[in-house]
Amino acid sequence: MSNLSGGMNTNVGEFQKNEDESDLIRNGQTNKIGWIQKRLGYATQRGDDVNTGYKILGMHSFYPTSGLIRQYAVADGASNSDVYTYNPATNDWTPHVQALTTASKCEFTTFLDRFYRVNYTEATASNNGTAWSTTVNVTGAPLARYITPYLNRLYLGNCQVGATEYPSRVYFSSLPDPTTSLITWDTTSTGNWFEVDPDDGDVVKGLGVNANRLLVFKENSLHRYDTNTRYQVPGCPGTVSQRTVKNIQGFTLYLHSSGVWAYDGASSILVSRSIQPYIDGMSSISLGEACAYVKGDHYYCFIGNVINSKEDINEDNVLLDLDISKKAWTIHNLADIPTIFIEFRDDRSEVQYDASDVTYNSADITYDGGISAESRTYIGTKDGQVWQFLNGNSDGGTPIRFEIITREIYLENRDAIKNLYKLFVYTRKGTSLIVQFKIDGGEWKNLGPLNRETTELRFPPGTRCRKVQLRFSEYTTAQQPTLEALSIYYKTETLTR
């Protein structure tokens, strides 16, 4: 077997699985064709706790044209929540003393060189990276749960005006003034807003943009809007969480209670059938807390604990991982509970202007002090921490459990008995892996540890079976072991009538 990167398939019979598919890939990724590599963790915390023991309610990255680089987090507290700015000079979080309502999620977006905050309880606010305002570009704006820019306007979904709630309404701003670049809001009965099926018993759960159209997600329906007409996309559900709505390779992916769906600009398709038993085990309580991010050609979606007793699945803190290019799923188990993921173009170059060995007027020195283009992923957690994700070989100091269970391998003829002799395992940095096997659905037995990149293991004498299954596992902080290929040496017994 030289290609192991087909991902997990837990939703078909054994005879229908492809040769490159596995029964389980835990904390492994299919980044390269053929390989399964242990994922990176989050070993670097961003400063101290933002507010120890209190949930991160929102995060945002901001890069105005002034050259500022800002990373913000909203943390809950005993009597109120607050916005904090990360200070790289002190490696700490500075509070804004906003006294926001406890437990109110904050959603952010950037528009017209400012960023905007909504949380449905406080007035919609804007910030230029220096100071908050409830007037600049937000005078008269409704309270809202969701916010996004689209075609030179700002859109707010699931709103409240005065004391009246409009859970199925979307408001939008004016176009920017050509002289001042300011926007205004008209929330009157003939103002800038539209309803999204207000009598269907559902509410707006998120906003997005795809194929030059605004997407409005209710939980069980998806709508697109082109500034003139709203159109319900037939046969497509909406989302359970705004924070799972992410764009990747022309698709908008999002989580519904039925699974992960991909919208292509015209319609949506269910893309999570191969891991349906995990979808079926999602808790309805945690669906609204689901969150996702994209990195490269991977879509990651945190769905919390998964319990499916019919399929013997009981997993904590599950992060689903879809490799879009290979259509391959794996699962990860995190040590912490994320509430949000964001991308942040982090800090500045490591080149220092006071380095004694650098001549700054030399023609060979091309660094101009600009910010690094590297984008890094950060997670905010339920316990008030911010971690750099995909960094290090542990989850905040907790070893990562790496496990691969292959499909049931029949070795050509599924009816014949085979005598198993040797297993060759090809790895990179794989000496921490332990190998087990089971035959014909029996109990797991130890085959041995791996001791080099190519390891030969011998099956016990007299090992006979129709099918064999292999398990590779380790629970360490070892540096990303990778399983590349495996070969089984066997002899088939002659079939008789």
mmCIF file with all atom_site columns, all heavy atoms in Angstrom, residues 194-216:
data_model
loop_
_atom_site.group_PDB
_atom_site.id
_atom_site.type_symbol
_atom_site.label_atom_id
_atom_site.label_alt_id
_atom_site.label_comp_id
_atom_site.label_asym_id
_atom_site.label_entity_id
_atom_site.label_seq_id
_atom_site.pdbx_PDB_ins_code
_atom_site.Cartn_x
_atom_site.Cartn_y
_atom_site.Cartn_z
_atom_site.occupancy
_atom_site.B_iso_or_equiv
_atom_site.pdbx_formal_charge
_atom_site.auth_seq_id
_atom_site.auth_comp_id
_atom_site.auth_asym_id
_atom_site.auth_atom_id
_atom_site.pdbx_PDB_model_num
ATOM 1   N N   . PHE A 1 194 ? -34.199 44.374 4.120   1.00 0.00 ? 194 PHE A N   1
ATOM 2   C CA  . PHE A 1 194 ? -35.085 43.400 3.487   1.00 0.00 ? 194 PHE A CA  1
ATOM 3   C C   . PHE A 1 194 ? -35.327 42.245 4.450   1.00 0.00 ? 194 PHE A C   1
ATOM 4   O O   . PHE A 1 194 ? -34.492 41.929 5.296   1.00 0.00 ? 194 PHE A O   1
ATOM 5   C CB  . PHE A 1 194 ? -34.524 42.891 2.146   1.00 0.00 ? 194 PHE A CB  1
ATOM 6   C CG  . PHE A 1 194 ? -33.199 42.201 2.232   1.00 0.00 ? 194 PHE A CG  1
ATOM 7   C CD1 . PHE A 1 194 ? -33.111 40.829 2.432   1.00 0.00 ? 194 PHE A CD1 1
ATOM 8   C CD2 . PHE A 1 194 ? -32.009 42.922 2.102   1.00 0.00 ? 194 PHE A CD2 1
ATOM 9   C CE1 . PHE A 1 194 ? -31.886 40.186 2.496   1.00 0.00 ? 194 PHE A CE1 1
ATOM 10  C CE2 . PHE A 1 194 ? -30.775 42.289 2.165   1.00 0.00 ? 194 PHE A CE2 1
ATOM 11  C CZ  . PHE A 1 194 ? -30.710 40.918 2.369   1.00 0.00 ? 194 PHE A CZ  1
ATOM 12  N N   . GLU A 1 195 ? -36.491 41.657 4.318   1.00 0.00 ? 195 GLU A N   1
ATOM 13  C CA  . GLU A 1 195 ? -36.867 40.515 5.151   1.00 0.00 ? 195 GLU A CA  1
ATOM 14  C C   . GLU A 1 195 ? -36.446 39.213 4.475   1.00 0.00 ? 195 GLU A C   1
ATOM 15  O O   . GLU A 1 195 ? -36.393 39.122 3.242   1.00 0.00 ? 195 GLU A O   1
ATOM 16  C CB  . GLU A 1 195 ? -38.380 40.489 5.388   1.00 0.00 ? 195 GLU A CB  1
ATOM 17  C CG  . GLU A 1 195 ? -38.915 41.669 6.172   1.00 0.00 ? 195 GLU A CG  1
ATOM 18  C CD  . GLU A 1 195 ? -38.719 41.535 7.674   1.00 0.00 ? 195 GLU A CD  1
ATOM 19  O OE1 . GLU A 1 195 ? -37.955 40.642 8.102   1.00 0.00 ? 195 GLU A OE1 1
ATOM 20  O OE2 . GLU A 1 195 ? -39.312 42.335 8.419   1.00 0.00 ? 195 GLU A OE2 1
ATOM 21  N N   . VAL A 1 196 ? -36.183 38.203 5.306   1.00 0.00 ? 196 VAL A N   1
ATOM 22  C CA  . VAL A 1 196 ? -35.838 36.873 4.800   1.00 0.00 ? 196 VAL A CA  1
ATOM 23  C C   . VAL A 1 196 ? -36.837 35.876 5.394   1.00 0.00 ? 196 VAL A C   1
ATOM 24  O O   . VAL A 1 196 ? -36.632 35.320 6.474   1.00 0.00 ? 196 VAL A O   1
ATOM 25  C CB  . VAL A 1 196 ? -34.399 36.491 5.176   1.00 0.00 ? 196 VAL A CB  1
ATOM 26  C CG1 . VAL A 1 196 ? -34.030 35.145 4.555   1.00 0.00 ? 196 VAL A CG1 1
ATOM 27  C CG2 . VAL A 1 196 ? -33.418 37.569 4.732   1.00 0.00 ? 196 VAL A CG2 1
ATOM 28  N N   . ASP A 1 197 ? -37.948 35.708 4.708   1.00 0.00 ? 197 ASP A N   1
ATOM 29  C CA  . ASP A 1 197 ? -39.006 34.773 5.128   1.00 0.00 ? 197 ASP A CA  1
ATOM 30  C C   . ASP A 1 197 ? -39.277 34.854 6.633   1.00 0.00 ? 197 ASP A C   1
ATOM 31  O O   . ASP A 1 197 ? -39.016 33.902 7.377   1.00 0.00 ? 197 ASP A O   1
ATOM 32  C CB  . ASP A 1 197 ? -38.623 33.341 4.742   1.00 0.00 ? 197 ASP A CB  1
ATOM 33  C CG  . ASP A 1 197 ? -38.571 33.141 3.245   1.00 0.00 ? 197 ASP A CG  1
ATOM 34  O OD1 . ASP A 1 197 ? -39.060 34.019 2.511   1.00 0.00 ? 197 ASP A OD1 1
ATOM 35  O OD2 . ASP A 1 197 ? -38.031 32.113 2.798   1.00 0.00 ? 197 ASP A OD2 1
ATOM 36  N N   . PRO A 1 198 ? -39.815 35.954 7.109   1.00 0.00 ? 198 PRO A N   1
ATOM 37  C CA  . PRO A 1 198 ? -39.980 36.146 8.548   1.00 0.00 ? 198 PRO A CA  1
ATOM 38  C C   . PRO A 1 198 ? -40.986 35.209 9.203   1.00 0.00 ? 198 PRO A C   1
ATOM 39  O O   . PRO A 1 198 ? -41.024 35.098 10.431  1.00 0.00 ? 198 PRO A O   1
ATOM 40  C CB  . PRO A 1 198 ? -40.443 37.610 8.650   1.00 0.00 ? 198 PRO A CB  1
ATOM 41  C CG  . PRO A 1 198 ? -41.077 37.905 7.330   1.00 0.00 ? 198 PRO A CG  1
ATOM 42  C CD  . PRO A 1 198 ? -40.299 37.120 6.333   1.00 0.00 ? 198 PRO A CD  1
ATOM 43  N N   . ASP A 1 199 ? -41.803 34.516 8.425   1.00 0.00 ? 199 ASP A N   1
ATOM 44  C CA  . ASP A 1 199 ? -42.840 33.663 8.999   1.00 0.00 ? 199 ASP A CA  1
ATOM 45  C C   . ASP A 1 199 ? -42.522 32.175 8.897   1.00 0.00 ? 199 ASP A C   1
ATOM 46  O O   . ASP A 1 199 ? -43.417 31.330 9.022   1.00 0.00 ? 199 ASP A O   1
ATOM 47  C CB  . ASP A 1 199 ? -44.178 33.947 8.301   1.00 0.00 ? 199 ASP A CB  1
ATOM 48  C CG  . ASP A 1 199 ? -44.625 35.386 8.476   1.00 0.00 ? 199 ASP A CG  1
ATOM 49  O OD1 . ASP A 1 199 ? -44.414 35.930 9.586   1.00 0.00 ? 199 ASP A OD1 1
ATOM 50  O OD2 . ASP A 1 199 ? -45.166 35.972 7.510   1.00 0.00 ? 199 ASP A OD2 1
ATOM 51  N N   . ASP A 1 200 ? -41.261 31.846 8.653   1.00 0.00 ? 200 ASP A N   1
ATOM 52  C CA  . ASP A 1 200 ? -40.927 30.422 8.487   1.00 0.00 ? 200 ASP A CA  1
ATOM 53  C C   . ASP A 1 200 ? -40.495 29.756 9.788   1.00 0.00 ? 200 ASP A C   1
ATOM 54  O O   . ASP A 1 200 ? -40.093 28.588 9.792   1.00 0.00 ? 200 ASP A O   1
ATOM 55  C CB  . ASP A 1 200 ? -39.844 30.254 7.419   1.00 0.00 ? 200 ASP A CB  1
ATOM 56  C CG  . ASP A 1 200 ? -38.510 30.869 7.818   1.00 0.00 ? 200 ASP A CG  1
ATOM 57  O OD1 . ASP A 1 200 ? -38.434 31.501 8.895   1.00 0.00 ? 200 ASP A OD1 1
ATOM 58  O OD2 . ASP A 1 200 ? -37.535 30.738 7.044   1.00 0.00 ? 200 ASP A OD2 1
ATOM 59  N N   . GLY A 1 201 ? -40.563 30.480 10.925  1.00 0.00 ? 201 GLY A N   1
ATOM 60  C CA  . GLY A 1 201 ? -40.176 29.891 12.202  1.00 0.00 ? 201 GLY A CA  1
ATOM 61  C C   . GLY A 1 201 ? -38.687 29.767 12.394  1.00 0.00 ? 201 GLY A C   1
ATOM 62  O O   . GLY A 1 201 ? -38.225 29.124 13.351  1.00 0.00 ? 201 GLY A O   1
ATOM 63  N N   . ASP A 1 202 ? -37.900 30.368 11.519  1.00 0.00 ? 202 ASP A N   1
ATOM 64  C CA  . ASP A 1 202 ? -36.443 30.293 11.572  1.00 0.00 ? 202 ASP A CA  1
ATOM 65  C C   . ASP A 1 202 ? -35.899 31.708 11.704  1.00 0.00 ? 202 ASP A C   1
ATOM 66  O O   . ASP A 1 202 ? -36.625 32.693 11.560  1.00 0.00 ? 202 ASP A O   1
ATOM 67  C CB  . ASP A 1 202 ? -35.921 29.620 10.295  1.00 0.00 ? 202 ASP A CB  1
ATOM 68  C CG  . ASP A 1 202 ? -34.574 28.954 10.486  1.00 0.00 ? 202 ASP A CG  1
ATOM 69  O OD1 . ASP A 1 202 ? -33.909 29.207 11.499  1.00 0.00 ? 202 ASP A OD1 1
ATOM 70  O OD2 . ASP A 1 202 ? -34.195 28.166 9.593   1.00 0.00 ? 202 ASP A OD2 1
ATOM 71  N N   . VAL A 1 203 ? -34.601 31.826 11.990  1.00 0.00 ? 203 VAL A N   1
ATOM 72  C CA  . VAL A 1 203 ? -33.982 33.144 12.147  1.00 0.00 ? 203 VAL A CA  1
ATOM 73  C C   . VAL A 1 203 ? -32.673 33.177 11.371  1.00 0.00 ? 203 VAL A C   1
ATOM 74  O O   . VAL A 1 203 ? -32.093 32.128 11.049  1.00 0.00 ? 203 VAL A O   1
ATOM 75  C CB  . VAL A 1 203 ? -33.704 33.467 13.637  1.00 0.00 ? 203 VAL A CB  1
ATOM 76  C CG1 . VAL A 1 203 ? -34.992 33.468 14.441  1.00 0.00 ? 203 VAL A CG1 1
ATOM 77  C CG2 . VAL A 1 203 ? -32.689 32.495 14.244  1.00 0.00 ? 203 VAL A CG2 1
ATOM 78  N N   . VAL A 1 204 ? -32.199 34.364 11.071  1.00 0.00 ? 204 VAL A N   1
ATOM 79  C CA  . VAL A 1 204 ? -30.901 34.517 10.417  1.00 0.00 ? 204 VAL A CA  1
ATOM 80  C C   . VAL A 1 204 ? -29.804 34.034 11.358  1.00 0.00 ? 204 VAL A C   1
ATOM 81  O O   . VAL A 1 204 ? -29.735 34.436 12.517  1.00 0.00 ? 204 VAL A O   1
ATOM 82  C CB  . VAL A 1 204 ? -30.667 35.988 10.017  1.00 0.00 ? 204 VAL A CB  1
ATOM 83  C CG1 . VAL A 1 204 ? -29.243 36.181 9.503   1.00 0.00 ? 204 VAL A CG1 1
ATOM 84  C CG2 . VAL A 1 204 ? -31.676 36.423 8.954   1.00 0.00 ? 204 VAL A CG2 1
ATOM 85  N N   . LYS A 1 205 ? -28.938 33.146 10.852  1.00 0.00 ? 205 LYS A N   1
ATOM 86  C CA  . LYS A 1 205 ? -27.857 32.569 11.654  1.00 0.00 ? 205 LYS A CA  1
ATOM 87  C C   . LYS A 1 205 ? -26.474 32.923 11.142  1.00 0.00 ? 205 LYS A C   1
ATOM 88  O O   . LYS A 1 205 ? -25.476 32.498 11.718  1.00 0.00 ? 205 LYS A O   1
ATOM 89  C CB  . LYS A 1 205 ? -27.996 31.033 11.699  1.00 0.00 ? 205 LYS A CB  1
ATOM 90  C CG  . LYS A 1 205 ? -29.285 30.539 12.313  1.00 0.00 ? 205 LYS A CG  1
ATOM 91  C CD  . LYS A 1 205 ? -29.417 30.950 13.769  1.00 0.00 ? 205 LYS A CD  1
ATOM 92  C CE  . LYS A 1 205 ? -28.491 30.204 14.684  1.00 0.00 ? 205 LYS A CE  1
ATOM 93  N NZ  . LYS A 1 205 ? -28.956 28.835 14.968  1.00 0.00 ? 205 LYS A NZ  1
ATOM 94  N N   . GLY A 1 206 ? -26.403 33.683 10.031  1.00 0.00 ? 206 GLY A N   1
ATOM 95  C CA  . GLY A 1 206 ? -25.088 34.053 9.530   1.00 0.00 ? 206 GLY A CA  1
ATOM 96  C C   . GLY A 1 206 ? -25.165 34.741 8.185   1.00 0.00 ? 206 GLY A C   1
ATOM 97  O O   . GLY A 1 206 ? -26.189 34.710 7.495   1.00 0.00 ? 206 GLY A O   1
ATOM 98  N N   . LEU A 1 207 ? -24.048 35.389 7.821   1.00 0.00 ? 207 LEU A N   1
ATOM 99  C CA  . LEU A 1 207 ? -23.909 36.070 6.536   1.00 0.00 ? 207 LEU A CA  1
ATOM 100 C C   . LEU A 1 207 ? -22.614 35.630 5.874   1.00 0.00 ? 207 LEU A C   1
ATOM 101 O O   . LEU A 1 207 ? -21.644 35.265 6.550   1.00 0.00 ? 207 LEU A O   1
ATOM 102 C CB  . LEU A 1 207 ? -23.894 37.591 6.730   1.00 0.00 ? 207 LEU A CB  1
ATOM 103 C CG  . LEU A 1 207 ? -25.105 38.239 7.406   1.00 0.00 ? 207 LEU A CG  1
ATOM 104 C CD1 . LEU A 1 207 ? -24.814 39.714 7.677   1.00 0.00 ? 207 LEU A CD1 1
ATOM 105 C CD2 . LEU A 1 207 ? -26.348 38.085 6.548   1.00 0.00 ? 207 LEU A CD2 1
ATOM 106 N N   . GLY A 1 208 ? -22.584 35.688 4.552   1.00 0.00 ? 208 GLY A N   1
ATOM 107 C CA  . GLY A 1 208 ? -21.377 35.356 3.806   1.00 0.00 ? 208 GLY A CA  1
ATOM 108 C C   . GLY A 1 208 ? -21.432 35.984 2.428   1.00 0.00 ? 208 GLY A C   1
ATOM 109 O O   . GLY A 1 208 ? -22.424 36.627 2.056   1.00 0.00 ? 208 GLY A O   1
ATOM 110 N N   . VAL A 1 209 ? -20.387 35.764 1.644   1.00 0.00 ? 209 VAL A N   1
ATOM 111 C CA  . VAL A 1 209 ? -20.330 36.278 0.271   1.00 0.00 ? 209 VAL A CA  1
ATOM 112 C C   . VAL A 1 209 ? -19.713 35.203 -0.618  1.00 0.00 ? 209 VAL A C   1
ATOM 113 O O   . VAL A 1 209 ? -18.684 34.608 -0.263  1.00 0.00 ? 209 VAL A O   1
ATOM 114 C CB  . VAL A 1 209 ? -19.505 37.574 0.169   1.00 0.00 ? 209 VAL A CB  1
ATOM 115 C CG1 . VAL A 1 209 ? -19.399 38.029 -1.281  1.00 0.00 ? 209 VAL A CG1 1
ATOM 116 C CG2 . VAL A 1 209 ? -20.119 38.686 1.030   1.00 0.00 ? 209 VAL A CG2 1
ATOM 117 N N   . ASN A 1 210 ? -20.334 34.950 -1.760  1.00 0.00 ? 210 ASN A N   1
ATOM 118 C CA  . ASN A 1 210 ? -19.804 33.996 -2.731  1.00 0.00 ? 210 ASN A CA  1
ATOM 119 C C   . ASN A 1 210 ? -20.329 34.368 -4.105  1.00 0.00 ? 210 ASN A C   1
ATOM 120 O O   . ASN A 1 210 ? -21.506 34.716 -4.260  1.00 0.00 ? 210 ASN A O   1
ATOM 121 C CB  . ASN A 1 210 ? -20.219 32.565 -2.377  1.00 0.00 ? 210 ASN A CB  1
ATOM 122 C CG  . ASN A 1 210 ? -19.612 31.527 -3.307  1.00 0.00 ? 210 ASN A CG  1
ATOM 123 O OD1 . ASN A 1 210 ? -19.924 31.468 -4.488  1.00 0.00 ? 210 ASN A OD1 1
ATOM 124 N ND2 . ASN A 1 210 ? -18.738 30.697 -2.776  1.00 0.00 ? 210 ASN A ND2 1
ATOM 125 N N   . ALA A 1 211 ? -19.450 34.279 -5.120  1.00 0.00 ? 211 ALA A N   1
ATOM 126 C CA  . ALA A 1 211 ? -19.838 34.540 -6.515  1.00 0.00 ? 211 ALA A CA  1
ATOM 127 C C   . ALA A 1 211 ? -20.527 35.887 -6.661  1.00 0.00 ? 211 ALA A C   1
ATOM 128 O O   . ALA A 1 211 ? -21.538 36.015 -7.365  1.00 0.00 ? 211 ALA A O   1
ATOM 129 C CB  . ALA A 1 211 ? -20.721 33.411 -7.048  1.00 0.00 ? 211 ALA A CB  1
ATOM 130 N N   . ASN A 1 212 ? -19.991 36.888 -5.968  1.00 0.00 ? 212 ASN A N   1
ATOM 131 C CA  . ASN A 1 212 ? -20.503 38.257 -6.054  1.00 0.00 ? 212 ASN A CA  1
ATOM 132 C C   . ASN A 1 212 ? -21.953 38.379 -5.589  1.00 0.00 ? 212 ASN A C   1
ATOM 133 O O   . ASN A 1 212 ? -22.707 39.234 -6.060  1.00 0.00 ? 212 ASN A O   1
ATOM 134 C CB  . ASN A 1 212 ? -20.387 38.784 -7.491  1.00 0.00 ? 212 ASN A CB  1
ATOM 135 C CG  . ASN A 1 212 ? -20.293 40.295 -7.525  1.00 0.00 ? 212 ASN A CG  1
ATOM 136 O OD1 . ASN A 1 212 ? -19.722 40.920 -6.634  1.00 0.00 ? 212 ASN A OD1 1
ATOM 137 N ND2 . ASN A 1 212 ? -20.857 40.902 -8.564  1.00 0.00 ? 212 ASN A ND2 1
ATOM 138 N N   . ARG A 1 213 ? -22.341 37.522 -4.648  1.00 0.00 ? 213 ARG A N   1
ATOM 139 C CA  . ARG A 1 213 ? -23.670 37.573 -4.061  1.00 0.00 ? 213 ARG A CA  1
ATOM 140 C C   . ARG A 1 213 ? -23.547 37.520 -2.539  1.00 0.00 ? 213 ARG A C   1
ATOM 141 O O   . ARG A 1 213 ? -22.692 36.821 -1.995  1.00 0.00 ? 213 ARG A O   1
ATOM 142 C CB  . ARG A 1 213 ? -24.549 36.402 -4.527  1.00 0.00 ? 213 ARG A CB  1
ATOM 143 C CG  . ARG A 1 213 ? -24.837 36.403 -6.023  1.00 0.00 ? 213 ARG A CG  1
ATOM 144 C CD  . ARG A 1 213 ? -25.721 37.560 -6.434  1.00 0.00 ? 213 ARG A CD  1
ATOM 145 N NE  . ARG A 1 213 ? -26.066 37.530 -7.848  1.00 0.00 ? 213 ARG A NE  1
ATOM 146 C CZ  . ARG A 1 213 ? -25.385 38.151 -8.803  1.00 0.00 ? 213 ARG A CZ  1
ATOM 147 N NH1 . ARG A 1 213 ? -24.284 38.849 -8.482  1.00 0.00 ? 213 ARG A NH1 1
ATOM 148 N NH2 . ARG A 1 213 ? -25.767 38.091 -10.063 1.00 0.00 ? 213 ARG A NH2 1
ATOM 149 N N   . LEU A 1 214 ? -24.431 38.249 -1.866  1.00 0.00 ? 214 LEU A N   1
ATOM 150 C CA  . LEU A 1 214 ? -24.528 38.150 -0.419  1.00 0.00 ? 214 LEU A CA  1
ATOM 151 C C   . LEU A 1 214 ? -25.275 36.870 -0.078  1.00 0.00 ? 214 LEU A C   1
ATOM 152 O O   . LEU A 1 214 ? -26.336 36.587 -0.655  1.00 0.00 ? 214 LEU A O   1
ATOM 153 C CB  . LEU A 1 214 ? -25.275 39.357 0.150   1.00 0.00 ? 214 LEU A CB  1
ATOM 154 C CG  . LEU A 1 214 ? -25.512 39.342 1.667   1.00 0.00 ? 214 LEU A CG  1
ATOM 155 C CD1 . LEU A 1 214 ? -24.213 39.611 2.404   1.00 0.00 ? 214 LEU A CD1 1
ATOM 156 C CD2 . LEU A 1 214 ? -26.587 40.360 2.049   1.00 0.00 ? 214 LEU A CD2 1
ATOM 157 N N   . LEU A 1 215 ? -24.738 36.085 0.850   1.00 0.00 ? 215 LEU A N   1
ATOM 158 C CA  . LEU A 1 215 ? -25.411 34.882 1.325   1.00 0.00 ? 215 LEU A CA  1
ATOM 159 C C   . LEU A 1 215 ? -26.013 35.164 2.693   1.00 0.00 ? 215 LEU A C   1
ATOM 160 O O   . LEU A 1 215 ? -25.336 35.698 3.584   1.00 0.00 ? 215 LEU A O   1
ATOM 161 C CB  . LEU A 1 215 ? -24.432 33.713 1.425   1.00 0.00 ? 215 LEU A CB  1
ATOM 162 C CG  . LEU A 1 215 ? -23.712 33.303 0.135   1.00 0.00 ? 215 LEU A CG  1
ATOM 163 C CD1 . LEU A 1 215 ? -22.807 32.116 0.395   1.00 0.00 ? 215 LEU A CD1 1
ATOM 164 C CD2 . LEU A 1 215 ? -24.715 32.988 -0.962  1.00 0.00 ? 215 LEU A CD2 1
ATOM 165 N N   . VAL A 1 216 ? -27.264 34.799 2.859   1.00 0.00 ? 216 VAL A N   1
ATOM 166 C CA  . VAL A 1 216 ? -27.944 34.926 4.143   1.00 0.00 ? 216 VAL A CA  1
ATOM 167 C C   . VAL A 1 216 ? -28.332 33.517 4.589   1.00 0.00 ? 216 VAL A C   1
ATOM 168 O O   . VAL A 1 216 ? -29.108 32.835 3.913   1.00 0.00 ? 216 VAL A O   1
ATOM 169 C CB  . VAL A 1 216 ? -29.191 35.822 4.048   1.00 0.00 ? 216 VAL A CB  1
ATOM 170 C CG1 . VAL A 1 216 ? -29.834 35.976 5.422   1.00 0.00 ? 216 VAL A CG1 1
ATOM 171 C CG2 . VAL A 1 216 ? -28.825 37.193 3.477   1.00 0.00 ? 216 VAL A CG2 1
#
